[in-house]
């Protein structure tokens, strides 16, 4: 294993021992945003060879159910996903994985970028669910790692105007570097209607055609529904409370579709292509790197957000050094 | 030449519980319109709502408004540009006309036009009158085998059709319909016509479910008002033998919407047709984590041709929905029947043509 990034969900399992119905009941290896170097191949593996650097898509389905066969393996009820209990993750020096879920990195794509294909794929999936394309106007709520990868993906997909909102000024600065046309700094006591007004100003008094909600907060979800233009899509990536008070009438009356996103499916090739062709530069997301021996410190940094942490990487391979 | 008609009895809503029949001038069609002798006008829940509450959401009856929008008529005059219709043609009337110039209209979603002019949605007059003019391209000629009553029913049927298209209902779909009022019933009819392999329909009123069974429901489920969500969901899945791929709420009730979201299979669609409270507390995580899309429905768009085809080819029989027929002079009684649901009323029709026998 080369590089493993820390995700908010990894931190959540550490702090709460569970996410919804997934409970850590027995010891579980953590980590799922990863890249590695191929050391050995199973007999049937044809498309990889020893020495290849790969990005590792962490979840494989059963391959036999109707979800797997109809191209929605992310919804497989028997999905085995790294570091979602009870399945072990891949923060280890060595790890085995289904070869078809390992994507060979071209020589100019680093192993750090390879690990970042995981969160990037979430942003890619959100944009596909929202139908983001040339001419789309996109509002992104939340500028954490997922909001930022959604921003990168939206730009790559051709959105003509992207506005991103968050509480945190330094995250919004990074968002600007990533190409957000406008940023909105939200204050904790802002009312829904204040934020909505800022959104309309940022879009020149028009409503965005797609909103991508990346915070999971009820207010973010409500705003996503209320501001999206009639006939548009509110893509809800962030997961928050199980029960949310929604302005449903606004969505129904105006045919604003509400679409959730569960991880990604067949999106790693797209993400890899975006990075490999230079359409997207994910490296600025990386703020901290730790050797495997300092994993606890790495998690503490990710958990507290110390030092304006965005993406914290852990390096299990003592022989390799960072390129970035 | 026959003498020009002078009787244009019209049903006008003046305010809450103040519906009056009065004479109005007979309108003249412009170059793109037809003049219609109105034949059949059905009463919709929204018409009743305007009568009882004087408003629906932001739409308020501020000045007298002609009621009625589920209608059929006979062409008696055509504007200069009208080519596809001639006097004597019987037509179904799609009640809403967009501006034709905005992006919604040009991109094929005229139902979302911000300048939509829709019969009997304030301030636009409806068509419960003896004579009425309408954009000719929104009038659909009925073949000989389709009656004027069926023509009027194309309006609610189009809601069911649009809902099925929004939900992607097709061959092999397993459909849950919540609510067996007129909209639930046309949704059931549409779902079966679109090829759904199994449709289960729920309601709290038993005789509505009996009608649903006659209209082709594969399963019906009577719900008690205090039934717990989990119990309802389990009974639905047990009856179907699997989770539905598309759920279609036709009630607007929060519990039904919640059931629709939770019961639907992963990757499926919860279509929400019924309009209830504008704010609802919903089990959103269940929808998001399982990618169950939530899609609202606003009226219909380019669905009248489909609805007409379904009726004309016999794929759908809407006649059992008709329970009551009234002469226009008895409009107030008709509304009362519709409002109270007396006599197991489903679709109450008003006949505006005095020369046509009921």
């Amino acid at each position: 294993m080369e590089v493993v990034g820390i995700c908010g969900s990894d931190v959540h399992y550490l702090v709460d021992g569970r996410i919804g119905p997934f409970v850590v009941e027995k010891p579980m290896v953590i980590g799922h945003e990863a890249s590695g170097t191929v050391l050995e191949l199973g007999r049937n593996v044809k498309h990889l060879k020893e020495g290849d650097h790969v990005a590792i898509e962490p979840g494989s389905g059963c391959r036999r159910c109707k979800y797997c066969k109809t191209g929605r393996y992310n919804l497989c009820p028997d999905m085995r996903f790294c570091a979602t209990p009870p399945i072990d993750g891949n923060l280890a020096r060595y790890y085995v994985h289904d070869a078809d879920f390992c994507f060979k990195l071209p020589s100019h794509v680093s192993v750090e970028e390879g690990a970042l294909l995981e969160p990037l794929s979430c942003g890619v999936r959100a944009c596909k669910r929202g139908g983001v394309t040339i001419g789309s106007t996109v509002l992104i709520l939340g500028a954490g790692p997922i909001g930022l990868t959604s921003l990168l993906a939206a730009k790559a997909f051709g959105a003509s105007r992207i506005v991103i909102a968050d509480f945190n000024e330094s995250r919004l600065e990074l968002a600007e570097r990533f190409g957000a046309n406008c940023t909105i700094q939200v204050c904790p006591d802002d009312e829904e209607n204040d934020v909505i007004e800022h959104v309309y100003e940022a879009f020149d008094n028009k409503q965005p055609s797609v909103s991508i909600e990346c915070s999971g907060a009820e207010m973010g979800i409500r705003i996503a529904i209320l501001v999206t233009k009639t006939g548009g899509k509110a893509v809800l990536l962030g997961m928050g409370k199980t029960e949310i008070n929604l302005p449903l009438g606004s969505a129904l009356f105006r045919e604003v579709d509400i679409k959730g996103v569960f991880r990604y499916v067949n999106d790693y090739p797209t993400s890899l292509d975006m990075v490999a062709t230079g359409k997207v530069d994910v490296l600025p997301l990386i703020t901290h790197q730790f050797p495997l021996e300092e994993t606890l410190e790495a998690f503490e940094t990710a958990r507290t957000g110390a030092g304006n942490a965005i993406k914290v990487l852990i390096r299990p391979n003592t022989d390799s050094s960072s390129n970035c | 030449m026959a003498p020009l008609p002078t009787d244009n009895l019209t049903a006008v809503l003046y305010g809450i519980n103040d519906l009056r029949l009065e004479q109005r001038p007979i309108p003249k069609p412009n170059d793109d319109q037809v003049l219609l002798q109105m034949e059949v006008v059905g009463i919709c829940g929204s018409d009743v709502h305007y009568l009882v509450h004087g408003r629906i959401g932001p739409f308020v009856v501020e000045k007298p408004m002609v009621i009625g929008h589920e209608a059929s008529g006979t062409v008696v005059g055509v504007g200069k540009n009208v080519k596809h219709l001639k006097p004597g043609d019987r037509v179904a009337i799609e009640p809403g006309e967009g501006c034709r110039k905005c992006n919604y209209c040009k991109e094929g979603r005229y139902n979302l036009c911000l300048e939509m002019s829709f019969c009997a949605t304030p301030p636009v007059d409806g068509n419960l009158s003896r004579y009425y003019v309408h954009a000719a391209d929104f009038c659909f000629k009925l073949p000989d085998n389709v009656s004027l009553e069926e023509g009027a029913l194309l309006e609610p049927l189009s809601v069911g059709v649009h809902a099925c298209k929004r939900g992607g209902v097709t061959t092999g779909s397993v459909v849950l319909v919540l609510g067996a009022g007129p909209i639930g019933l046309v949704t059931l009819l549409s779902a079966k016509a679109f090829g759904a392999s199994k449709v289960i329909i729920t309601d709290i009123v038993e005789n509505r479910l009996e009608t649903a069974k006659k209209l082709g429901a594969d399963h019906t489920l009577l719900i008690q008002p205090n039934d717990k969500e989990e119990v309802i969901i389990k009974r639905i899945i047990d009856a179907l033998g699997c989770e539905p791929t598309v759920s279609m709420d036709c009630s607007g009730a929060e519990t039904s919407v919640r059931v629709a979201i939770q019961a639907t299979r992963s990757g499926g669609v919860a279509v929400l047709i019924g309009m209830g409270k504008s704010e609802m507390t919903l089990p959103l995580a269940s929808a998001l984590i399982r990618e169950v899309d939530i899609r609202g429905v606003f009226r219909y768009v380019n669905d009248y041709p489909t609805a007409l085809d379904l009726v004309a080819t016999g794929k759908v029989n809407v006649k059992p929905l008709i329970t009551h027929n009234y002469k226009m002079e008895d409009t107030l009684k008709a509304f009362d029947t519709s409002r109270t649901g007396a006599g197991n009323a489903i679709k109450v029709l008003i006949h505006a043509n005095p020369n046509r026998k009921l």
Side-chain angles (χ1 to χ4, degrees):
Chain A
M1 294 301 293
E2 299 286 356
V3 178
V4 182
I6 300 177
C7 169
S9 63
D10 298 311
V11 174
H12 205 281
Y13 279 119
L14 175 64
V15 172
D16 291 313
R18 69 184 300 153
I19 293 180
F22 298 108
V23 186
V24 181
E25 278 163 353
K26 60 179 183 54
M28 178 187 81
V29 178
I30 201 80
H32 63 275
E33 298 186 0
S35 60
T37 303
V38 176
L39 293 180
E40 254 180 67
L41 306 166
R43 210 156 51 108
N44 297 334
V45 181
K46 307 277 179 254
H47 73 289
L48 294 172
K49 58 186 195 309
E50 286 147 29
D52 283 346
H53 288 159
V54 294
I56 305 162
E57 182 176 343
S60 58
C62 75
R63 304 178 191 273
R64 285 170 170 61
C65 70
K66 55 180 177 294
Y67 296 107
C68 287
K69 288 195 287 191
T70 56
R72 291 187 86 170
Y73 61 78
N74 59 321
L75 302 177
C76 173
D78 295 315
M79 163 61 74
R80 294 170 51 83
F81 195 93
C82 288
T84 289
I87 307 295
D88 280 335
N90 49 25
L91 180 49
R93 298 222 202 269
Y94 299 97
Y95 170 71
V96 293
H97 199 71
D98 288 347
D100 66 309
F101 280 89
C102 295
F103 297 87
K104 182 176 145 113
L105 303 177
S107 53
H108 67 284
V109 175
S110 66
V111 288
E112 289 83 3
E113 290 167 305
L116 280 160
L117 294 192
E118 203 276 350
L120 181 58
S121 292
C122 292
V124 164
R125 184 92 210 297
C127 288
K128 287 181 184 174
R129 288 282 274 155
V132 176
T133 183
I134 313 279
S136 296
T137 49
V138 182
L139 169 68
I140 298 174
L141 293 133
I146 291 300
L148 293 171
T149 56
S150 296
L151 163 59
L152 288 169
K155 273 219 92 69
F157 275 53
S160 59
R161 186 163 185 81
I162 305 172
V163 174
I164 186 163
D166 195 281
F167 297 113
N168 183 312
E169 192 163 355
S170 72
R171 290 183 158 187
L172 291 177
E173 275 162 18
L174 182 54
E176 245 167 19
R177 279 174 56 199
F178 277 149
N181 300 97
C182 183
T183 60
I184 296 173
Q185 184 163 15
V186 183
C187 305
D189 345 305
D190 276 347
E191 301 270 329
E192 202 169 89
N193 289 328
D194 297 327
V195 181
I196 291 174
E197 218 179 282
H198 293 318
V199 169
Y200 289 153
E201 273 163 25
F203 280 104
D204 214 19
N205 282 325
K206 295 197 184 53
Q207 293 178 301
S209 56
V210 181
S211 290
I212 304 179
E213 210 296 318
C214 301
S215 78
E218 187 170 284
M219 180 158 88
I221 291 171
R222 291 178 58 84
I223 291 172
I225 290 172
L226 291 167
V227 303
T228 303
K229 84 169 198 192
T230 300
K233 293 187 176 50
V235 179
L236 307 183
L237 249 186
M239 302 272 182
K241 297 186 305 183
T242 330
E243 299 270 332
I244 303 269
N245 192 36
L246 289 181
L248 192 64
S250 173
L252 304 190
F253 221 78
R254 305 185 305 113
E255 291 191 357
V256 171
D257 294 351
I258 299 170
K259 308 187 87 164
V261 175
F262 188 60
R263 299 178 180 140
Y264 33 73
V265 56
N266 298 311
D267 295 302
Y268 257 70
T270 312
S271 302
L272 177 52
D273 184 83
M274 279 163 42
V275 170
T277 56
K279 283 191 188 63
V280 154
D281 177 14
V282 288
L283 291 170
L285 290 170
I286 303 168
T287 51
H288 297 78
Q289 302 205 43
F290 294 86
L292 180 59
E293 291 80 355
E294 289 171 33
T295 291
L296 294 186
E297 219 182 298
F299 267 81
E300 189 57 17
T301 303
R303 186 184 68 78
T304 58
N308 289 331
I310 297 178
K311 186 52 67 178
V312 176
L313 301 183
I314 299 175
R315 311 191 68 101
N317 185 350
T318 49
D319 297 335
S320 80
S321 55
S322 169
N323 297 338
C324 56
Chain B
M1 188 174 115
L4 287 172
T6 52
D7 170 16
N8 189 18
L9 192 64
T10 304
V12 185
L13 184 62
Y14 273 77
I16 292 178
N17 292 324
D18 187 3
L19 182 59
R20 308 181 201 171
L21 292 175
E22 63 185 33
Q23 285 293 338
R24 287 196 163 194
I26 294 178
K28 286 189 172 42
N30 66 27
D31 292 344
D32 298 304
Q33 288 178 326
V34 287
L35 173 63
L36 298 160
Q37 165 148 52
M38 294 306 292
E39 298 283 357
V40 179
V41 182
I43 300 178
C44 169
S46 62
D47 298 311
V48 174
H49 204 279
Y50 279 119
L51 175 65
V52 172
H53 297 286
R55 69 185 300 154
I56 292 180
F59 298 107
V60 186
V61 180
E62 279 163 351
K63 58 178 184 54
M65 177 188 81
V66 179
I67 202 81
H69 63 275
E70 299 186 359
S72 60
T74 303
V75 178
V76 294
V78 297
K80 209 160 48 98
N81 296 336
V82 179
K83 307 283 178 249
H84 73 290
L85 293 172
K86 60 188 193 307
D89 284 345
R90 301 167 317 126
V91 296
I93 305 162
E94 181 177 344
E97 188 185 348
C99 76
R100 305 178 191 271
K101 294 176 164 49
C102 70
N103 288 335
Y104 293 113
C105 285
K106 288 193 286 191
E107 288 170 18
R109 291 185 86 173
Y110 61 78
N111 59 321
L112 303 178
C113 172
L114 300 174
E115 311 294 324
M116 165 60 73
S117 200
F118 195 93
C119 288
T121 290
V124 182
D125 281 333
N127 49 23
L128 181 45
S129 53
R130 299 244 198 254
Y131 293 94
Y132 169 72
V133 292
H134 199 71
D137 66 308
F138 281 92
C139 296
F140 298 87
K141 184 175 144 119
L142 303 177
D144 295 337
N145 67 326
V146 176
S147 67
L148 290 160
E149 286 75 11
E150 289 168 303
L153 280 158
L154 294 191
E155 202 276 350
L157 182 58
S158 291
V159 175
V161 164
H162 182 52
C164 286
K165 288 180 185 175
R166 288 281 278 156
V169 177
T170 183
T171 313
S173 295
V174 177
V175 180
L176 163 64
V177 177
L178 296 127
I183 292 300
L185 295 174
V186 292
T187 301
L188 157 64
L189 287 168
S190 303
K192 289 301 293 179
F194 273 54
S197 56
K198 278 185 280 198
V199 181
I200 184 171
I201 185 163
T202 69
D203 202 286
I204 54 179
V205 176
E206 188 146 19
N207 61 64
R208 290 184 155 187
L209 293 177
E210 280 159 17
T211 308
K213 200 91 205 182
K214 289 200 203 105
L215 292 177
D218 299 285
H219 304 277
T220 59
L221 183 63
L222 181 64
I223 301 202
Q224 307 300 338
N226 294 327
D227 279 345
K228 284 196 156 42
E229 263 162 43
E230 306 80 59
V231 170
I232 298 173
I233 293 166
K234 181 170 189 312
R235 288 168 69 197
I236 288 166
I237 295 173
D238 284 345
L240 288 173
C242 60
E243 293 160 308
T245 54
V246 183
S247 292
M248 311 183 79
D249 175 64
C250 302
S251 75
E254 191 169 285
T255 314
S256 294
V257 172
R258 292 177 59 88
V259 167
I261 288 171
Q262 293 170 99
T264 307
R265 191 180 304 185
S266 296
V269 185
V271 182
L272 306 182
I273 306 146
M275 301 272 185
K277 295 188 304 183
S278 54
E279 299 267 330
M280 286 197 188
T281 301
L282 297 181
L284 195 62
S286 172
L288 304 189
I289 218 173
R290 301 183 310 110
E291 292 191 358
V292 172
D293 292 354
I294 298 170
R295 313 187 85 185
V297 167
F298 188 61
R299 298 179 180 139
Y300 32 74
V301 55
N302 298 312
D303 296 302
Y304 256 69
T306 313
L308 177 52
D309 184 83
L310 290 177
V311 170
T313 56
K315 287 190 188 62
V316 159
N317 178 14
V318 289
K319 293 196 276 260
L321 295 172
I322 304 167
T323 51
H324 295 77
N325 291 279
Y326 289 86
K327 295 194 308 230
M328 191 164 167
E329 289 82 347
D330 295 327
T331 291
L332 294 186
K333 263 197 239 155
F335 268 81
D336 216 59
T337 301
S338 189
R339 184 182 62 78
T340 59
N344 294 332
I346 299 176
K347 187 54 67 178
V348 176
L349 300 183
I350 298 175
H351 296 260
N353 181 351
N355 303 320
R356 187 169 168 259
K357 287 210 186 57
L358 288 196

